[in-house]
Amino acid sequence: MILREHLQKLAAGQKQWQTLEACTLQQWLDEQINNAMLLGEIANALPTTKLSEVAEAFLWEQAISSCLAKHEAAALFDIRALAKSAMEANKLLYDWRIDETEVNHDYISQETRQFLRWRHMFQSLCQQQDAVESARLVSLQIELIDTLSPDLPEQIMLAGFDRITPLEQSLFAFFKAKGVEVQRFETYAQQETNIQYQALIDSQTECRAVVAWAKDKLAQNPDAQLAIVSPILGNIRRQLADLLDDTFHPETLNHDQYEAARCYDFSLGLALTEYPIVQSGLMLLRFVLSKPTIGFEDVETLLHDVYWGSIVELDAKAALDAYLRQNLNASYSLERLVTQTNKFCRETNASLEILLGHLNMMQEFGRLQPQQRQPLSHWIMTFTTLLDNLNWAKSRSISSHEYQQKNAFSKCISALKTLDKVFGGVTALEALQKLTEVCANTMFQPESKGEVRIQLLGLLETPALQQDAIWVMNMNDQHWPPQVRLNPLLPAKLQRSRGTPNASTSIQSAFATLVHERWVASAKEVNFSYALKEQDRELRPSPLLNSLPESFSIQEAVAIRLVQTLTEQLAQPAIMEMFDDSMAPPILDDEKVRGGVKLFATQAICPAWAFYQYRLGARKLETPIDGLDNLSRGSLLHKVLQNFWQDCQDSTHLKAMDENQLTVAIDAAIEKSIQDLSHELRSNLPAQILHIEQQRLRQLMQYWLALEAERADFSVKACEKKYQLNIEGLTLNLAIDRIDEVPDGGIVVIDYKTSNAVSNKSWGDDRIAEPQLPIYAALALKDERVVAVCFAKVRTDETKFVGLSASADILPEVGILEKAKGNSFKRLEDWEALIAHWEQSLFNIALEIRSGVASVSFANESDLEYCDVKPLLRLPERQMQFEHNQPESSNQGPA
C-alpha cells in the first residue's frame, strides 16, 4: 500500500516527499525507554550493562562450568556448545513467554533440569554485575512500555515480521488497545507472475545456469534488476562469485583490478575472520602465545604473510621456510626458530635483520608472563601495541577493502576494552580467544561500488524493491523447508505445543510457504531450480514445488544453456595454433646435471619431469615430522645392514649364530649405525622415540636375516661400494648397497627397498622406469659376471627378493629370465641379451637427456604419483585445451 502511494507520487511528477520513520523493534524500544527516563517516568528500571553476544556466552560458560564442576565426566563436556544451546533456549523462553513452571515437571529430562540450574546461576551472575542479556532486555522493555504512556503514531507498519513471537504479539496488542492501526507492510504490488521450474543435473550446473540466465537478461535489458536466491548461499558463494567474475568481470583476474566495481552484490558479508588481513593479525597473536612449541605450518604462514614485517625480506623468508623444513622437526620452540634463522643467515648470507628483531620482540612478550590473569583491557592494549611493533598492516600500502577490514578489526578490539567488569581477570590466551570470537561473530562486507544489477540473497531475505526477474536455486527437499531442529535443553513436546521455530515439520512448512509466496510476488518472472543429483545420491525437489506444469520436462530443463568458466572460454578460441615446444636446450659440455639414477628414471617415465626437477632444480617443499621420516628410516636401515654384513661377512657365519648371538650382533649394528648418524638423529630425536626405532630395527633385521639364511652359500664382497660412470657425457656417482659373490664366482647385485611398491616389470621395456639395478649390472659392473640382480624388500609386513637371475636357486623365489612376467621380456633370448638391452636402453635415455627432450609424455598418469613437479606439467590445462583437438593422444603434447 505504501509502496503504491510512493509510485503514484513518482508518476505524478513529485521528486521529493517526506520519508517514513523506519527503525527496528529494538531501536524503537530503546528510544521509548530513554525518553521515559529523561521525563522522569521511570528511574533505574533496567540493569546498567547490556551484554554483547560474546559477553553473554562467557557468563553462560561460567554458569555451566560452575554447575558441572563436580560432575564425574566434567572434562568431557563441550562447554561452549552447551552455552550456545543454553542461550538459544533462554531466548525461546522469553520470546514465547514460557514460564519455568511450564518446563519444570516431574517428567522433564535430565538435560532440562541441568539447563534450569544453569539459568539460575546465569541470572545470579547477571545480577551481581547489574547486567542483562538481549532476550531478557526486550522482555523487560515491553513490560515497561505497558506501564507508560508513550507518544504513539496513528499507524505502525510491520516489515519483515515473517514469524511474530508471543512477546511481540503482546506489544502489538498494546498498540491496538491504544488505538494505533497496526498493519503488515505490503512490499510489492499485486501482479501476475510468470513462474518457471528447472531441474538440473547438480548444484554446480545450477550455478552455471543461473549465471548464464543473468547474462542473457542483462544483454536483453542492461537496466534490469535481477536477484539470485539460495537457501545455501554460504556453501556456493565462492563458486557463484568466480562464475560471475569470469562472465562479467574477467579483468578482476589481474591483482590491481581485484577490488574493481562489480555488477553484482552479496547481501551478507563474511565473518571478519575470513579476511586475510584480520587472519594475519590473529595469527601473529596466536603465534606469540604458542607455548612451549610452535608447528611448522604456523611458521610457514608467518614467513609468507605479507601484512607484517618487511616486504623486502619476503624472498629471503621463503628460502628460510625451505631451510627450516629440511633442518627442523614439525614442532619446535621459538628460541630454536631464532637460532636456526641466525644459522641460515650465516650459511646463505641472507639479510633478515627485521625478522630477527620481530622474533626477539615475540620472545620478550613471552617473558611478560601471559599466564597471569589481568583485566581484559590490559591484554587488548598489549595486543594492539605488539601488532604495531610488528609492523602489522604497515608493511605495504593497503587497499581500500583492506583498510575497511582493518577498521572493522579495530572496532572489535575497542568493543572488548569496555568488558572488564564482565570478564574480570583473564590470561592472554583467553583474551585472544574472546577477540577471535568477536571477530568470528562480526559479519563484514566492503562497501560496494558501481551500479549493482544482480543481488545475491539468502532465502530469508527480501529485496527492497520489486525485481524484474528472480532465480531461486537449490530448491531441494533437504534444504527447503528447513529441517526440524529442536533445542536439546527444552522438552520437545513443549516446543511443539507452543509452536517455537524449528520445532516440527508443520511449523517449518508453514513458515517456508510464507517465504515462498513472498518470493513469487517479488518479481514479474520467477524461476525455481533444483538439483537431480549430489555425487551418486539422487535428490528430490522441495515439496513446495508440487505444482509443476504439465508441459514441464526434465529432459528439456537439463538442456538449458550453461555459462563457461574463463578457463573454458580461453581453451576454445576460434583458431587454435599448435606449437611443439617439447625440446629444452641441449646440455652443454660444462653443465652439471643433478639427479644420478633418478634422472634416468624420471626421463624414462616423463621427460618433462626430469627436465624440471633435475635441470631446472624445481622440487616440492619437504613436510617435516616429529621423529624420523621415511627417508631417514630407510637410511638408518641401510646403515644397520651395512654394519652387520661388514662384521658377518658371509652366509656361513650367519647360519652358525644361535638366537642370542644373532641378537647381540644386530644390537651392535644398530648402536653403531645410530652413532654413525648421530649428527642427523641425536639432536632431533627424543630418547623415547629413539628407543622405539631401535626396537623396530631389531624386528626388521630378524625378519630379513631369517630369509637370508635360506639362501645358498654366498659371501658379501662389498657394501655401499661407490662408482663413477660417464654415460654419453653424463656423469653419475653411484653407491651400490651390496654386492655378493656366489661360490662359482658370479656376482649378485642387491638394492635395499623399504617402500611397499617394489617392481621390476619395466626392465624389459624400451624405457626402463626402474633403471637403478640395470645401471649397476650393465654399466658399473660391466667387467664382472653378474648372475642376479634384485631388490631386497625389507618390511615388517613382507620380506622378499624381487628381481631376475641367470639361473635358478641363486636367490629365494627369484626366477630366471625365461619365467619373467610381461610381454616385453619374451623378445629377450637369454641373460646376455637382457644385459645388452639394458645397456642400449640406458644409452638411448642418456642421449635424450643430452639433446634436451622434455616432452610431457607418459604411459600412465599413475606413474606420476611421486612426481615433485606435477603442477608444472599442467595436466588439467593440457587435458582441457588439447583433448578436443587431439583425442587420440590426450596425454601427449608440448611441455
Side-chain angles (χ1 to χ4, degrees), residues 67 168 293 336 513 552 719 768 841 857:
C67 292
E168 294 167 342
T293 59
R336 187 161 179 77
T513 300
F552 174 72
C719 291
I768 303 174
S841 175
S857 56

Side-chain angles (χ1 to χ4, degrees), residues 276-567:
I277 192 170
V278 177
Q279 291 176 347
S280 170
L282 294 174
M283 177 273 301
L284 285 171
L285 297 175
R286 274 197 310 272
F287 188 87
V288 172
L289 297 175
S290 297
K291 294 289 183 178
T293 59
I294 50 181
F296 86 93
E297 300 97 339
D298 296 328
V299 175
E300 175 192 25
T301 304
L302 181 88
L303 295 177
H304 293 279
D305 192 338
V306 299
Y307 289 107
W308 77 288
S310 171
I311 200 167
V312 176
E313 294 182 345
L314 277 179
D315 289 344
K317 287 194 286 188
L320 173 62
D321 177 31
Y323 178 86
L324 295 174
R325 287 166 174 265
Q326 290 179 324
N327 293 277
L328 291 178
N329 290 338
S331 56
Y332 39 85
S333 65
L334 182 57
E335 290 73 18
R336 187 161 179 77
L337 172 60
V338 173
T339 301
Q340 287 294 321
T341 301
N342 279 309
K343 184 179 178 183
F344 167 77
C345 291
R346 291 193 301 270
E347 292 179 2
T348 63
N349 293 321
S351 177
L352 288 171
E353 294 180 3
I354 296 176
L355 173 64
L356 284 167
H358 288 157
L359 292 178
N360 288 328
M361 286 183 194
M362 295 178 183
Q363 285 183 294
E364 287 297 322
F365 182 85
R367 300 186 181 100
L368 295 177
Q369 297 180 322
Q371 296 304 318
Q372 283 190 351
R373 293 192 170 274
Q374 299 282 357
L376 183 60
S377 59
H378 166 82
W379 291 121
I380 294 301
M381 293 175 64
T382 303
F383 292 162
T384 303
T385 303
L386 178 63
L387 289 176
D388 189 61
N389 291 338
L390 294 177
N391 211 34
W392 175 73
K394 296 188 294 184
S395 60
R396 60 170 175 79
S397 298
I398 59 177
S399 67
S400 171
H401 287 187
E402 290 168 338
Y403 179 77
Q404 295 174 50
Q405 293 153 16
K406 180 188 174 186
N407 284 346
F409 183 64
S410 299
K411 290 179 181 178
C412 291
I413 290 177
S414 299
L416 283 177
K417 289 180 181 179
T418 63
L419 297 178
D420 286 352
K421 183 179 178 182
V422 175
F423 288 98
V426 295
T427 65
L429 186 58
E430 290 172 342
L432 177 57
Q433 288 173 346
K434 297 309 168 189
L435 176 58
T436 304
E437 288 176 23
V438 171
C439 293
N441 292 330
T442 301
M443 302 304 293
F444 174 82
Q445 177 139 292
E447 296 177 6
S448 59
K449 303 175 183 177
E451 199 168 355
V452 175
R453 293 296 174 190
I454 307 171
Q455 295 186 60
L456 293 107
L457 309 168
L459 206 53
L460 301 184
E461 301 169 90
T462 305
L465 298 175
Q466 194 164 36
Q467 305 294 292
D468 292 301
I470 290 175
W471 187 306
V472 185
M473 57 189 301
N474 305 120
M475 293 297 284
N476 289 93
D477 63 350
Q478 76 267 32
H479 302 315
W480 196 251
Q483 299 295 312
V484 172
R485 186 178 58 83
L486 290 163
N487 187 284
L489 301 180
L490 295 176
K493 183 177 181 181
L494 176 64
Q495 295 181 64
R496 294 190 184 102
S497 65
R498 298 300 294 270
T500 60
N502 310 311
S504 68
T505 54
S506 59
I507 292 173
Q508 298 297 72
S509 296
F511 174 70
T513 300
L514 177 66
V515 175
H516 190 87
E517 291 172 351
R518 187 179 65 211
W519 279 113
V520 169
S522 61
K524 300 175 183 177
E525 177 189 325
V526 179
N527 293 272
F528 290 98
S529 69
Y530 65 93
L532 296 171
K533 287 186 178 182
E534 184 179 50
Q535 296 179 346
D536 295 331
R537 182 165 67 102
E538 292 187 1
L539 302 180
R540 295 176 301 185
S542 166
L544 295 180
L545 303 184
N546 58 3
S547 56
L548 299 177
E550 294 180 0
S551 60
F552 174 72
S553 167
I554 290 179
Q555 287 74 24
E556 293 174 358
V558 171
I560 192 171
R561 194 173 76 83
L562 306 179
V563 75
Q564 290 185 320
T565 65
L566 185 60
T567 304

Side-chain angles (χ1 to χ4, degrees), residues 74-109:
L76 302 179
F77 288 108
D78 186 345
I79 301 298
R80 287 189 181 181
L82 290 174
K84 184 177 180 181
S85 294
M87 290 171 63
E88 180 187 278
N90 185 56
K91 180 173 173 58
L92 286 175
L93 294 185
Y94 283 118
D95 288 351
W96 257 254
R97 309 194 82 173
I98 302 173
D99 192 84
E100 281 193 12
T101 57
E102 298 180 63
V103 180
N104 197 3
H105 291 286
D106 293 337
Y107 59 82
I108 65 172
S109 65

